[in-house]
Amino acid sequence: MRMLMGCCLLAFSVWLVLPNRNVYGNPSIEDQLSSCNLPSGAVVRLYKGNGGATTSYWYSLTHEGGLFEREKQIAFAYSSPVFTAVACNGDEMTLSSSASDESFTAAQLGDLRQHPKIYWKEKLEGTGPQKSPDLMDAIQFIGAAALFVAAIFLIKQGVWRNR
């Protein structure tokens, strides 16, 4: 029983530190609006987030490059421009928004995985680096590390008891 509990804690601690797809926004309260597939096998998805009555909608564009590449945010808009759809045409992806349509090549999408476009109330804030760790990230990492140590302890206790 300790072995099973230790393995569950171990899996949960690893899950805690895995990054989610977004730099900004909360994936758990986002709805997918549209998606398209590029010939390379990459998938581009558009999400709309709704935090409730006290926040504006946000829009998140993500890119999943292939079989072993995780889905990652490549563009984010809070309030406006309103992202409305994505469409793939050959090796190019077009993002439609309330401001204008913008097209990206597959190479540009790869670059945006490292430096996503960030819009804040119609203004392009830039294509900065991925979000730097903050206090919540540190707390999450410390909690995961503590669970990991507890899981190893429980597993070792279970193994030693069976001998």
Side-chain angles (χ1 to χ4, degrees), residues 13 17 33 64 107 110 130 148:
S13 66
V17 293
L33 295 178
E64 186 175 359
Q130 292 283 346
F148 182 81

Side-chain angles (χ1 to χ4, degrees), residues 23-24 131-142:
V23 176
Y24 300 98
K131 182 178 84 169
S132 60
D134 60 7
L135 179 61
M136 288 308 292
D137 292 333
I139 290 169
Q140 183 179 13
F141 182 77
I142 290 167

Side-chain angles (χ1 to χ4, degrees), residues 119-138:
Y119 294 90
W120 193 262
K121 296 186 179 178
E122 200 67 46
K123 182 181 173 207
L124 176 63
E125 295 291 323
T127 55
Q130 292 283 346
K131 182 178 84 169
S132 60
D134 60 7
L135 179 61
M136 288 308 292
D137 292 333

Side-chain angles (χ1 to χ4, degrees), residues 8 104 148:
C8 288
F104 302 96
F148 182 81

